[in-house]
Amino acid sequence: MEVADARIERPTDVLVRITSANICGSDLHMYEGRTDFEPGRSFGHENLGQVVEVGHGVDKIRVDDWVVLPFNIACGHCKNCERQLTNYCLTAQPEPDLAGAAYGFADMGPYGGGQAELLRVPWGDFNCLRLGDDAEERQTDYVMLADIFPTGYHATEMAGVQPGDQTVIYGAGPVGLMAALAATIRGASKVMIVDRHPDRLRLAESIGAIAIDDSLVDPVQAVLDETMGLGADNGCECVGYQAHDPSGHEQPNLTMNRLVASVRFTGRIGNVGVFVPEDPGAGDELLPLDQAPEAYEHFDRRDDGWTKVVLHPTMAGTSA
């Protein structure tokens, strides 16, 4: 399916030439048909690039600025935005029974995603985060600010991680790894992370976390053993409803129940894993970037080394 290029539609819009766009684990839900996504829109809510055009109502952002785009689209002036609840913007979501919008995401407004050459950014002054002079050469780092690092950090914020805490993270995917890093930054004395993919567990160990392979041990007991039988002070759920046991049997509540059992009675839990009430089972069309289908296949299979995928739509011959 041919998808039209993004363009300026309103005076407050900004048009960005995308140079880096991550594939998110949430994109896999749509890729697998596990959340509904209509044909004719592109995926991609973790985006970075260079501004190529601005609407005449834009005051701050300039052509040639390098920007990263936080995944939630917000107007900046509704009741929720004024209370810093921009993930539930009332203006950006056209459905009156819903709140919150995002680029290229099921049930979060009609907006196109950034796994494309161009991206329209509504309310550009509010939604574009300008980057410094090193943005082009460090874009693979900065694009993580669009979603996974702040999401991982937010999990530790909800869990109330403080200096000296013992913290357990369920899931060593990109968000789980960022949650583990955030817990370390916040001063946790011991960070444990549960997964079963060797490459992801190796990455967890590289940032100082204790890797727990739930295909080899009971992860709850392993956490209890690491905490003198008391359980962790707090923990984060970074897997969501597609959790499954080592044999491949899907159990949507598996990691949540294990997390509850791993955290002591007075502990706190931060949940950023995606949970939905049902699977619509609809198939999805892929945006035909040259290597995107192959990247989705590797990412979906959790192949060794495919921990996070960045697409570079306008950089010919480049893939990551």
Side-chain angles (χ1 to χ4, degrees), residues 36-274:
D36 198 12
F37 193 81
E38 68 276 16
R41 278 203 295 151
S42 53
F43 291 169
H45 59 273
E46 300 186 37
N47 307 308
L48 177 148
Q50 191 170 27
V51 175
V52 293
E53 187 179 351
V54 299
H56 61 75
V58 174
D59 296 319
K60 181 177 67 175
I61 302 300
R62 298 285 183 264
V63 170
D64 293 332
D65 282 350
W66 283 88
V67 294
V68 63
L69 296 319
F71 68 94
N72 285 119
I73 299 173
C75 68
H77 55 71
C78 71
K79 183 175 183 178
N80 284 351
C81 286
E82 288 179 346
R83 297 182 178 186
Q84 298 186 340
L85 301 174
T86 53
N87 58 318
Y88 286 106
C89 176
L90 299 169
T91 308
Q93 172 57 257
E95 291 293 330
D97 295 332
L98 301 173
Y103 304 98
F105 205 89
D107 297 324
M108 296 195 74
Y111 307 98
Q115 292 173 20
E117 286 77 14
L118 296 170
L119 177 68
R120 171 188 169 237
V121 180
W123 299 284
D125 279 336
F126 189 75
N127 289 305
C128 291
L129 176 62
R130 288 184 294 181
L131 299 171
D133 294 337
D134 61 348
E136 185 171 9
E137 56 266 32
R138 295 194 60 191
Q139 60 185 289
T140 305
D141 295 323
Y142 285 130
V143 72
M144 304 305 166
L145 294 174
D147 184 351
I148 64 166
F149 181 73
T151 299
Y153 191 92
H154 184 61
T156 64
E157 179 74 16
M158 290 191 294
V161 177
Q162 300 181 44
D165 280 351
Q166 297 174 317
T167 302
V168 60
I169 312 292
Y170 272 85
V175 170
L177 289 169
M178 292 297 99
L181 178 61
T184 301
I185 293 171
R186 295 171 71 102
S189 63
K190 179 179 287 189
V191 178
M192 299 153 281
I193 190 162
V194 179
D195 206 290
R196 66 187 67 109
H197 295 279
D199 60 322
R200 297 184 175 198
L201 292 174
R202 287 194 299 270
L203 284 172
E205 289 177 327
S206 74
I207 59 174
I210 296 170
I212 299 174
D213 187 337
D214 72 347
S215 69
L216 302 177
V217 300
D218 176 349
V220 175
Q221 187 59 52
V223 173
L224 294 176
D225 291 344
E226 289 282 350
T227 57
M228 300 178 63
L230 298 174
D233 295 300
N234 40 55
C236 303
E237 204 288 334
C238 301
V239 179
Y241 74 105
Q242 287 188 272
H244 55 276
D245 62 26
S247 67
H249 177 66
E250 191 170 294
Q251 296 178 244
N253 61 354
L254 179 65
T255 54
M256 184 64 78
N257 286 340
R258 284 178 168 177
L259 178 59
V260 170
S262 300
V263 173
R264 63 185 64 193
F265 296 126
T266 56
R268 288 175 58 179
I269 288 172
N271 170 39
V272 291
V274 175

Side-chain angles (χ1 to χ4, degrees), residues 15-35:
L15 191 65
V16 176
R17 178 179 65 91
I18 297 297
T19 60
S20 293
N22 295 338
I23 297 176
C24 181
S26 298
D27 291 330
L28 295 180
H29 303 321
M30 297 179 288
Y31 171 71
E32 296 171 359
R34 303 295 298 270
T35 50

